[in-house]
Amino acid sequence: MNNRESGGNSILKFLAVIGFVAAVAAIAYAVYRFMTPDYLEDFEDDFDDDFDDYFEDEDDSPADAVKEAVEDAAEKASDVAEDLKEKAGDAVDELKEAVTE
């Protein structure tokens, strides 16, 4: 019976050693992943910044285009209002002259 117990005992020891090596390897891998910097993340950030700058220079946003259109329309409306004021003033002057004559 002693042979059976030692055979089972040696298998248990072998599995314990394998488990211990696997646990040490897992801890070493976790420390390695935690300690090494993520170079890809830095590269993606730099790329995104360059990519955004390229398109910001070329195109205006739709909101900016709408804002410019509204400002242009307001300026034209102001010019038309000034012209109407001048014409109304001229018409009032002519009417005063006609009444005084």
Side-chain angles (χ1 to χ4, degrees), residues 48-94:
D48 288 341
D49 292 342
D50 293 341
F51 190 72
D52 292 340
D53 291 343
Y54 176 75
F55 282 105
E56 283 178 5
D57 292 341
E58 282 188 16
D59 297 332
D60 291 333
S61 69
D64 290 339
V66 169
K67 183 178 178 182
E68 283 182 31
V70 168
E71 288 173 354
D72 289 343
E75 187 177 328
K76 287 179 183 178
S78 176
D79 291 342
V80 168
E82 288 295 322
D83 289 342
L84 286 175
K85 266 188 193 178
E86 286 178 24
K87 290 181 181 179
D90 292 342
V92 168
D93 290 340
E94 287 180 14

Side-chain angles (χ1 to χ4, degrees), residues 8-56:
N9 206 10
S10 65
I11 291 175
L12 185 61
K13 287 181 184 178
F14 178 74
L15 291 176
V17 169
I18 296 289
F20 178 74
V21 170
V24 169
I27 291 171
Y29 179 74
V31 169
Y32 168 76
R33 291 290 291 178
F34 180 74
M35 297 299 280
T36 54
D38 188 10
Y39 295 111
L40 183 60
E41 183 178 307
D42 294 339
F43 173 74
E44 288 174 349
D45 289 343
D46 291 342
F47 180 73
D48 288 341
D49 292 342
D50 293 341
F51 190 72
D52 292 340
D53 291 343
Y54 176 75
F55 282 105
E56 283 178 5

